[in-house]
Amino acid sequence: MSIVSLYWNTVRYMKPSQVYYRVRKTLGMECSIGCEIKPISVGNEKLTLIAQMEKLDFDPVFLARFPVEELMQDHVCFLHQSRKFSWDEPWYFPDETPLWNFNLHYFEYLFPLVEAYRRTGNRMYYEKIKTCVEGWIKNNPRSAGGNGWAPYTVALRLTNWLSCFSYLYETVREDKVFYDRFINALYEQYVYLSGHLEKDLLGNHYFEDLKALILCALFFQDEKVLSRVLLEFKKQCNEQILPDGMHFELSPMYHKIIFEGMLRVAAALRAANVPDLEIEKHLQPMLDAAYSMEYDLDRLPLFNDCGNNVAKSLEALCEEAKNKFHLLPVFKKQFPNAGYYILEENDVRVIVDAGEIGPQYLAGHVHCDALSFEVFFKGKPVLVNCGTYAYQDALRPFFRSTLAHNTVRVDRREQSSCWGTFRTAKRQRCRCLEFSGNLLKAEMTDQANCKVIRTVELRGSKLTVCDHSRSNQLLEAAVHVVPCARLFELEDSVQIEGIGTMTFSGERKREQMPYAPEYGAKKDCAAWIVSEKGSLSFSLTIASI
């Protein structure tokens, strides 16, 4: 496609408001919430501490990402990349990706230090927290802009600072100089965010902006802003959270992140004696969706942009939902609005994506994964999609491509035209035709309007996948095996040691492809590409049942 065609077929799906606010942003104009922030006088201000979410803030899986010993030695590690950092230097590493640098400004690494200080009472952990926060305040003035003042990083940092402050309030209150500096920095970022909302992007970015403003409005007792932002937040909840509970960007990872944000907002409103049932009504279906997609599995299923080292653990989310709202998850096998379906027999679980790409106006996290599936045996992944790895990387186009997923394409053409880092031009459409628990039948129409019908059936110990072209065109499908498996390729089949046997119809070839179940870490996996005109079939017979 020509560059003009790419832009046209990307922009034409956007909301007019997105284009309008993108122009405003380009011209350096503000995008505000529509009302003034309440002025404060530090020292005389009235504050309301944000509700503590200990199961989330001190989730052991989350804390393990930032070993306290390394932080005390001034080492930070994000996305499997560790760096030495003195805190009193520019908060930017030119040889790291924008996402890595964004993580530096999120301040998630404060929580292991807070936990260590609460557990031991050792003052050195508190002093390190001060060093981190004061280093940011000193080296990231608003006038300098940069990653630290991107609205998304401001929103996440505000949320994390408010949470940490709730645990350290008594200690910080006695530390007058640091207290004043900290409250002033919080307030300055609150004011800034209120005028730099990401209405040009919408989706999870806009959600995070509004979430942070709600928490700040509660913290600073800013009732006018709280009332205004809550109205917009609830509108976004009704749009972004599908009736079946999934977040509309259809990433299992981002779903968990948004669910955490919903829990935080709902708990903070309850703690402030202003509970909101319109927000809380979304919690049970969101909990059910998170639980159903991951329960009893070693990792999240890899659909769209997704990795296993970003969101909080399922266990922590379930515990907080139970503790704060008395909610228990319900396992479901179908999410028709999102297009996810689960086939389960004995110890085998197959998760299939048979839905649309998500909101047409927001396709930045989309992959060419329509009709793709992942297979888990006794909770461990066996047949896998390739994952995400990184956003700003030369491998980004591969990880979004059709052949990076256990799915099919027509005439060697991508299902959707994914380009740039977060752009999608012409795109596929997908719909479920039939689902009966053990059988799923769905149709995908690719960017050139060519149709494929895929049937996925799980009976006893055998998974069968059949593809059919309505116009007898060349079909090409990929199947990827998790890297740790030992494989034996025979003339008519492929054996996976300890699992079972795969068979294919059509011409097949083996390739090595990168596999990234976590952001920032990849290894090679074996993949088989099979091709045939008109129809294809694949089967996996589990031998260990």
Side-chain angles (χ1 to χ4, degrees):
M1 298 174 71
S2 70
I3 191 67
V4 173
S5 178
L6 281 174
Y7 271 100
W8 165 243
N9 284 290
T10 301
V11 173
R12 72 187 183 95
Y13 290 103
M14 295 172 65
K15 290 185 175 184
S17 65
Q18 288 178 287
V19 178
Y20 169 73
Y21 286 112
R22 179 62 57 90
V23 172
R24 287 182 63 91
K25 177 183 282 188
T26 302
L27 296 175
M29 301 171 69
E30 288 195 348
C31 176
S32 74
I33 57 173
C35 63
E36 294 295 323
I37 300 295
K38 172 185 174 182
I40 65 166
S41 176
V42 177
N44 297 313
E45 79 289 341
K46 294 181 179 180
L47 305 175
T48 299
L49 297 183
I50 298 304
Q52 296 178 354
M53 308 286 281
E54 294 197 28
K55 296 299 182 182
L56 290 169
D57 293 332
F58 306 126
D59 170 19
V61 177
F62 168 67
L63 295 183
R65 298 175 193 163
F66 312 104
V68 171
E69 298 77 13
E70 292 185 11
L71 291 168
M72 296 302 292
Q73 298 283 328
D74 298 324
H75 280 272
V76 290
C77 184
F78 312 117
L79 313 176
H80 292 281
Q81 299 296 320
S82 181
R83 298 295 295 259
K84 176 80 172 177
F85 185 53
S86 73
W87 312 103
D88 193 18
E89 60 182 274
W91 284 54
Y92 177 68
F93 288 80
D95 54 340
E96 296 288 356
T97 67
L99 183 60
W100 192 97
N101 280 289
F102 266 37
N103 272 264
L104 184 62
H105 292 270
Y106 293 164
F107 275 83
E108 291 179 319
Y109 45 81
L110 285 190
F111 289 100
L113 295 169
V114 172
E115 191 276 335
Y117 178 59
R118 294 176 75 220
R119 176 170 44 83
T120 68
N122 193 322
R123 187 82 179 183
M124 69 177 182
Y125 298 117
Y126 172 70
E127 293 299 326
K128 181 59 68 175
I129 293 168
K130 282 180 59 178
T131 297
C132 299
V133 173
E134 290 182 322
W136 188 90
I137 294 171
K138 176 183 176 183
N139 292 283
N140 293 276
R142 175 174 171 175
S143 58
N147 291 326
W149 290 93
Y152 188 73
T153 63
V154 173
L156 295 192
R157 183 171 56 253
L158 282 170
T159 300
N160 292 328
W161 278 17
L162 288 170
S163 295
C164 289
F165 185 75
S166 71
Y167 298 109
L168 299 173
Y169 175 73
E170 295 300 331
T171 303
V172 177
R173 197 74 174 94
E174 296 173 358
D175 193 346
K176 179 62 176 170
V177 174
F178 177 62
Y179 174 88
D180 290 351
R181 191 174 295 147
F182 182 73
I183 297 299
N184 273 317
L186 275 172
Y187 183 76
E188 182 183 25
Q189 293 171 75
Y190 171 39
V191 173
Y192 178 85
L193 183 61
S194 73
H196 294 82
L197 300 177
E198 294 169 281
K199 292 186 179 182
D200 58 319
L201 295 177
L202 299 176
N204 73 87
H205 275 242
Y206 191 39
F207 176 94
E208 294 294 345
D209 298 344
L210 297 173
K211 178 197 75 177
L213 289 180
I214 290 172
L215 298 180
C216 285
L218 288 168
F219 182 74
F220 287 112
Q221 298 185 10
D222 196 344
E223 295 179 3
K224 185 177 179 181
V225 169
L226 178 63
S227 177
R228 174 70 184 84
V229 177
L230 272 175
L231 288 175
E232 182 63 16
F233 184 77
K234 286 186 281 191
K235 282 173 57 180
Q236 287 299 310
C237 289
N238 290 332
E239 181 172 357
Q240 294 195 30
I241 301 165
L242 300 174
D244 60 21
M246 281 294 298
H247 183 250
F248 75 162
E249 291 186 65
L250 306 183
S251 157
M253 178 190 82
Y254 278 105
H255 173 80
K256 288 171 67 177
I257 292 171
I258 297 299
F259 181 40
E260 177 187 346
M262 290 290 290
L263 288 171
R264 288 190 184 278
V265 168
L269 291 170
R270 276 198 179 191
N273 294 316
V274 285
D276 195 300
L277 296 182
E278 192 175 344
I279 292 173
E280 292 186 16
K281 73 178 182 182
H282 296 289
L283 297 181
Q284 182 69 59
M286 292 191 80
L287 173 63
D288 295 345
Y291 181 80
S292 301
M293 293 294 284
E294 192 182 357
Y295 168 68
D296 212 22
L297 301 180
D298 277 7
R299 63 154 175 79
L300 278 170
L302 302 177
F303 296 105
N304 293 310
D305 278 342
C306 186
N308 283 269
N309 57 334
V310 177
K312 301 291 173 54
S313 73
L314 175 65
E315 291 74 17
L317 290 165
C318 289
E319 285 190 62
E320 207 66 84
K322 179 181 178 181
N323 291 345
K324 290 289 194 298
F325 302 98
H326 309 292
L327 300 179
L328 296 175
V330 177
F331 183 79
K332 298 177 180 178
K333 288 190 174 183
Q334 57 179 312
F335 295 87
N337 305 108
Y340 288 121
Y341 297 86
I342 300 171
L343 289 72
E344 196 168 38
E345 188 94 1
N346 299 318
D347 291 323
V348 181
R349 188 179 303 174
V350 183
I351 305 177
V352 188
D353 179 358
E356 299 286 2
I357 65 169
Q360 292 291 327
Y361 66 85
L362 187 64
H365 293 295
V366 164
H367 286 205
C368 295
D369 62 359
L371 304 180
S372 72
F373 62 89
E374 288 207 312
V375 178
F376 296 83
F377 179 58
K378 295 183 178 179
K380 298 185 180 301
V382 177
L383 303 183
V384 298
N385 291 324
C386 287
T388 298
Y389 183 59
Y391 291 154
Q392 299 85 8
D393 186 85
L395 285 173
R396 175 72 168 159
F398 164 76
F399 281 103
R400 296 182 78 192
S401 72
T402 308
L403 290 185
H405 304 85
N406 294 327
T407 189
V408 61
R409 66 183 186 179
V410 182
D411 289 339
R412 296 188 170 90
R413 178 177 49 249
E414 295 294 340
Q415 294 179 350
S416 298
S417 179
C418 296
W419 65 289
T421 302
F422 295 113
R423 289 174 174 159
T424 305
K426 291 183 178 180
R427 65 265 324 248
Q428 61 81 12
R429 302 184 303 279
C430 191
R431 63 192 180 104
C432 176
L433 302 176
E434 177 186 351
F435 179 66
S436 60
N438 292 95
L439 182 143
L440 171 72
K441 187 176 183 180
E443 179 185 71
M444 186 272 296
T445 304
D446 75 4
Q447 60 171 305
N449 285 322
C450 293
K451 299 181 184 296
V452 179
I453 292 179
R454 168 166 280 194
T455 303
V456 182
E457 186 173 15
L458 180 63
R459 297 286 181 184
S461 62
K462 188 174 183 178
L463 168 70
T464 304
V465 180
C466 298
D467 297 315
H468 173 70
S469 166
R470 288 189 180 275
S471 51
N472 200 40
Q473 292 171 291
L474 177 67
L475 298 181
E476 193 174 33
V479 176
H480 311 78
V481 181
V482 70
C484 61
R486 291 189 63 190
L487 304 169
F488 303 93
E489 189 161 10
L490 307 176
E491 183 176 347
D492 60 348
S493 64
V494 176
Q495 293 183 356
I496 310 174
E497 186 177 63
I499 302 295
T501 302
M502 299 189 297
T503 59
F504 309 86
S505 71
E507 180 183 344
R508 83 172 194 253
K509 61 179 179 178
R510 178 173 174 170
E511 293 188 6
Q512 292 293 108
M513 295 187 181
Y515 167 66
E518 296 190 354
Y519 280 63
K522 67 181 186 297
K523 57 186 75 172
D524 285 340
C525 73
W528 278 267
I529 313 298
V530 294
S531 57
E532 189 72 68
K533 276 196 169 185
S535 62
L536 286 172
S537 66
F538 157 81
S539 69
L540 169 65
T541 302
I542 304 292
S544 301
I545 295 179

